[in-house]
Amino acid sequence: NRKSYWKEIKKVCCTLKSLENIEINGNCAIHIHTDKGIYMHLEEYINLLKLWMLYEDIIYRFSYGEKNEPRYLIFKYAKPISYYIYSILDKLDRVETFEDLIKLFNDRRLGLNLTNASTIEVRTYNGTLNENIIQNEVLFNENLLYYAKTDRFDREFIDYKIRMYSNIFINDSIIEKTTKAQELANLIFNDELDRDSFLSQYCKRKN
């Protein structure tokens, strides 16, 4: 999260916009990769999976960027996994190695992909050349992943939410759930500006 990096992203976006025959259409996506080195313990991956399960609907709607709908074929190349995670929670609690965990998620075409050799990949984001949208998504991505490994991770609250869980149906038009989005934002963000930017993009507010 350095100003120089965001300037580089803006430069790339401006350069692409200036070229002829460049179009961001419904076939375009952004995938964000984070070095797996941020996690030292298996429990941190499991924390992330539980977070993803509980808030997958929020993550997908946010991932649509400035649009209200997903790109084409998102449900083929970035498949939702919340219900699957819920169905194997008992197995997750018994997993002893990362290799065992990957056996449960051995499809790379998931919204959250753990199968890459060295990165955790989030595949849900619509394509865009709006540098502000890309910045919001990178910051959200990193805050979500880092929250799963911090002392701030509220296991008691997450366990409570799991007990109250009901299946999330991800479709082409995710209904806005502002209170739930605010709940996630309060969990993962320390910076108020980053939190507000996330909520603005989730609610599709014009800045």
Side-chain angles (χ1 to χ4, degrees):
N1 188 11
R2 296 180 181 176
K3 192 173 183 179
S4 60
Y5 297 162
W6 306 130
K7 286 183 177 179
E8 284 298 307
I9 287 180
K10 182 175 182 179
K11 182 179 178 180
V12 170
C13 290
C14 288
T15 299
L16 288 172
K17 288 176 187 176
S18 71
L19 299 175
E20 294 184 8
N21 301 320
I22 292 294
E23 178 187 7
I24 300 296
N25 61 27
N27 293 314
C28 299
I30 290 176
H31 298 174
I32 298 178
H33 294 256
T34 303
D35 193 321
K36 281 182 175 176
I38 68 166
Y39 288 160
M40 301 298 293
H41 305 287
L42 182 62
E43 181 183 29
E44 295 162 347
Y45 285 98
I46 294 173
N47 288 346
L48 174 62
L49 287 165
K50 289 178 178 179
L51 270 176
W52 189 278
M53 180 192 82
L54 291 171
Y55 296 101
E56 187 175 57
D57 52 341
I58 306 301
I59 294 168
Y60 270 72
R61 180 182 168 86
F62 170 75
S63 297
Y64 301 162
E66 59 266 70
K67 299 179 180 179
N68 287 312
E69 65 280 328
R71 65 187 181 275
Y72 306 140
L73 301 178
I74 188 173
F75 302 118
K76 179 177 180 180
Y77 293 107
K79 292 178 279 191
I81 55 172
S82 56
Y83 186 69
Y84 174 69
I85 295 172
Y86 182 72
S87 72
I88 62 164
L89 279 177
D90 58 333
K91 293 181 181 178
L92 286 180
D93 290 334
R94 296 197 301 270
V95 165
E96 296 184 355
T97 68
F98 180 69
E99 289 70 25
D100 291 336
L101 180 66
I102 291 303
K103 289 176 183 177
L104 298 173
F105 297 91
N106 63 354
D107 183 352
R108 70 177 184 86
R109 295 186 300 182
L110 304 177
L112 176 64
N113 171 30
L114 302 179
T115 66
N116 294 333
S118 60
T119 66
I120 298 168
E121 179 187 20
V122 176
R123 300 168 57 88
T124 56
Y125 302 108
N126 280 358
T128 185
L129 288 179
N130 183 326
E131 68 272 13
N132 294 321
I133 297 291
I134 296 172
Q135 181 175 353
N136 288 345
E137 291 169 350
V138 170
L139 290 173
F140 169 76
N141 218 69
E142 299 314 294
N143 277 275
L144 181 75
L145 268 62
Y146 273 98
Y147 177 69
K149 63 170 286 180
T150 66
D151 293 337
R152 294 190 298 111
F153 188 82
D154 191 339
R155 288 176 178 79
E156 183 176 346
F157 178 73
I158 296 301
D159 287 344
Y160 164 76
K161 295 291 290 186
I162 289 172
R163 289 195 298 272
M164 303 295 291
Y165 177 83
S166 58
N167 187 27
I168 299 169
F169 179 64
I170 309 292
N171 60 15
D172 285 353
S173 56
I174 296 297
I175 298 171
E176 183 178 331
K177 301 175 183 175
T178 308
T179 300
K180 188 176 180 181
Q182 180 74 60
E183 181 181 273
L184 176 60
N186 289 340
L187 285 175
I188 70 172
F189 288 107
N190 281 324
D191 186 279
E192 185 175 351
L193 180 58
D194 292 344
R195 182 165 56 246
D196 289 346
S197 296
F198 162 76
L199 289 170
S200 291
Q201 181 168 320
Y202 173 81
C203 295
K204 312 306 174 190
R205 295 196 293 259
K206 300 288 186 181
N207 290 327

